[in-house]
């Protein structure tokens, strides 16, 4: 079993190149199945979730050709099944994007119920409500969601909660429905906008993505396109917080600073210097970090996917901080692991009350999910001594070459397989 061996104590220093956004790539890949023509995608992150989705698409007859580590060509002209039930697909959340994409184009789809990170109840009622409003019949049977319609017709849909997944799914299905669909209370995340831009580049007619109200005028066919995925906001934010926690000086390159505003604001509030340029951001942490309060919110609020990373920073800051998680109800599971490293955090419901400590100490820990796993790595990089971390497969779901990029910033981190490897790592790193 692969583990990370980490020796803490080195400030991270240098430049790191940020890859394409996982949460934009997933719906964009699914939406590529909405045309019979060829689609070229650039800046694809090479992470496990995108691989699983590509495998699932291949299993229903989508032709997929990789033309480099970060570029792929897809052609869905010869799809031979509208049922997606491969073993891997059950493990990822984004499986349900094939539902919206296939329903939009073929008016029928059956997809295994989605999995994904265990961060709380992840309802799909808004997806179902949206598909039904467009005229689809939706049922769940034998672990599959089935959506089918003779024809899809545009509708006025009010989302009861702001949901990235439901906004994206309904947008895809509505792109090929007859007439106008209006989604109210839509999610505004950069990846929602990226998908709308991608669909528009295929001939869709979507306006308002990035605001609360998205208007979609259905078209009867979509054509091939060439498209470059936006940079990953959360990967960038993770490295920015890694700089803060390790008292380092890191420049994240190939980013869109606008997408990182809530993260930049919090870093400044806790005492970091943040310099923005056109497509890069430098974070310097030369002073002790200060406490603050933060509540996760849909974009443009502070992202839930950055909640563990900011908690790791605040737990090593002066004073008492409060972190409120308002999106997922079970996203503090990593606090037990952080406590092993010396953090002083009390979780009450969806709130963490954090009394900052001077330092972390290395420990034997486990990554409970993708973002929490990355956050614990950051804690280990700042800790005194060695850490061994299990379940790093979660981190590989969404971070490409995480440990390699960290090594490039001076981190002492390696993938090890056995206790003997860990002992060797300890000897080597002193
Ligand atoms: C997406 O999940 C991301 N996943 C998550 O990233 C991210 O944490 C989340 O959006 C919020 O930004 C992907 O893009 C693949 P939601 P999603 O629908 O779409 C409730 C990561 O680490 N809800 O916006 O599943 C839901 O329970 C992952 O990269 C309903 O009630 O999130 C939650 O409380 C983890 N009914 C809230 O809305 C629904 O039908 C937001 O969920 C749908 C959602």
């Amino acid at each position: 079993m692969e583990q990370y061996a980490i020796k803490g104590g080195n400030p991270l220093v240098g430049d790191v190149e940020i890859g394409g956004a996982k949460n934009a790539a997933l719906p964009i890949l699914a939406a590529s199945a909405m045309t019979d023509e060829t689609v070229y995608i650039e800046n694809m992150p090479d992470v496990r979730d995108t691989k699983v989705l590509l495998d699932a698409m291949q299993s229903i007859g989508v032709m997929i050709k990789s033309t480099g580590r970060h570029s792929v060509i897809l052609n869905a002209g010869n799809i031979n099944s509208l049922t997606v039930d491969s073993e891997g697909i059950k493990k990822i959340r984004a499986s349900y994007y094939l539902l919206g994409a296939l329903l939009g184009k073929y008016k029928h789809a059956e997809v295994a119920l989605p999995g994904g990170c265990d961060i709380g109840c992840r309802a799909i009622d808004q997806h179902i409500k949206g598909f039904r409003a467009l005229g689809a019949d939706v049922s769940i049977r034998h672990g599959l969601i089935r959506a089918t319609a003779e024809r899809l017709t545009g509708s006025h849909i009010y989302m009861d909660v702001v949901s990235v997944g439901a906004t994206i799914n309904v947008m895809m299905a509505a792109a090929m429905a007859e007439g106008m669909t209006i989604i109210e209370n839509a999610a505004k995340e950069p990846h929602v906008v990226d998908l709308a831009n991608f669909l528009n580049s295929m001939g869709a007619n979507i306006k308002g993505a990035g605001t609360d109200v998205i208007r979609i005028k259905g078209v009867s066919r979509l054509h091939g396109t060439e498209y470059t995925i936006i940079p990953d906001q959360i990967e960038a934010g993770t490295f920015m917080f890694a700089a803060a926690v390790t008292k380092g000086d890191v420049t994240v390159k190939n980013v869109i600073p606008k997408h990182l505003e809530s993260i930049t604001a919090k870093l400044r509030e806790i005492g970091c210097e943040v310099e923005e340029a056109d497509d890069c951001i430098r974070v310097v942490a030369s002073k002790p970090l200060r406490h603050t309060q933060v509540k996760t919110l849909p974009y443009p609020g502070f992202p839930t996917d950055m909640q563990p990373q900011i908690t790791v920073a605040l737990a090593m800051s002066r004073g008492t901080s409060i972190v409120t998680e308002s999106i997922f109800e079970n996203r503090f599971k990593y606090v037990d692991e952080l406590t092993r490293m010396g953090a002083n955090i009390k979780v009450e419901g969806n709130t963490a009350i954090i009394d900052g400590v001077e330092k972390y100490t290395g420990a034997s820990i486990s990554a409970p999910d993708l973002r929490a796993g990355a956050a614990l790595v950051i804690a280990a990089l700042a800790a005194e001594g060695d850490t061994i971390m299990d379940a790093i497969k979660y981190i590989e779901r969404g971070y490409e070459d995480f440990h390699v990029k960290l090594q490039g910033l001076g981190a002492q981190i390696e993938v090890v397989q056995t206790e003997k490897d860990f002992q060797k790592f300890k000897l080597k790193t002193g």
Side-chain angles (χ1 to χ4, degrees), residues 183-395:
I183 306 177
E184 304 247 21
N185 201 23
K188 296 180 280 205
E189 269 67 5
H191 30 290
V192 173
V193 179
D194 209 33
L195 173 71
N197 289 340
F198 173 73
L199 287 167
N200 284 341
S201 78
M202 295 169 84
N205 185 342
I206 301 173
K207 295 203 170 95
T211 75
D212 293 327
V213 184
I214 303 181
R215 290 186 163 75
I216 305 147
K217 192 160 178 234
V219 296
S220 57
R221 68 176 284 279
L222 295 173
H223 55 71
T225 187
E226 290 180 25
Y227 196 80
T228 302
I229 292 170
I230 53 166
D232 198 307
Q233 170 205 19
I234 306 300
E235 186 193 17
T238 302
F239 281 101
M240 288 163 76
F241 267 92
V245 178
T246 62
K247 307 282 183 291
D249 178 349
V250 171
T251 300
V252 288
K253 299 177 90 172
N254 179 35
V255 299
I256 299 175
K258 175 91 192 137
H259 294 168
L260 293 159
E261 276 175 350
S262 63
I263 295 165
T264 299
K266 281 294 162 197
L267 283 167
R268 287 192 174 129
E269 234 172 89
I270 64 175
C272 298
E273 288 159 53
V274 187
E275 288 168 26
E276 292 178 26
D278 280 355
D279 65 350
C280 61
I281 299 187
R282 180 176 176 203
V283 179
V284 184
S286 50
K287 295 182 226 130
L289 301 180
R290 293 191 293 264
H291 64 104
T292 192
Q293 305 203 359
V294 62
K295 182 176 184 182
T296 62
L297 287 170
Y299 189 85
F302 192 86
T304 172
D305 291 348
M306 287 298 302
Q307 182 262 101
Q309 298 88 321
I310 195 171
T311 300
V312 161
L314 296 177
M316 245 186 62
S317 305
R318 287 187 176 161
T320 303
S321 300
I322 295 181
V323 175
T324 307
E325 171 56 58
S326 77
I327 311 289
F328 292 109
E329 79 273 14
N330 195 13
R331 217 169 185 178
F332 282 122
K333 282 194 305 181
Y334 64 91
V335 164
D336 287 346
E337 303 299 290
L338 204 54
T339 303
R340 287 175 201 274
M341 302 179 77
N344 187 355
I345 303 177
K346 197 164 133 203
V347 176
E348 283 177 5
N350 68 344
T351 303
I353 302 141
I354 304 166
D355 271 324
V357 295
E358 281 285 306
K359 61 172 188 220
Y360 293 127
T361 48
S364 173
I365 55 172
S366 186
D369 62 66
L370 165 60
R371 307 302 174 187
L376 290 169
V377 169
I378 297 174
L381 290 171
E384 183 183 286
D386 300 293
T387 292
I388 184 87
M389 178 187 270
D390 284 343
I392 62 171
K393 63 177 195 298
Y394 288 117
I395 298 172

Side-chain angles (χ1 to χ4, degrees), residues 159 162-172 183 185-187 192 214:
M159 295 286 176
V162 178
S163 161
V164 170
T167 302
I168 284 177
N169 240 338
V170 174
M171 192 158 77
M172 287 195 285
I183 306 177
N185 201 23
V192 173
I214 303 181

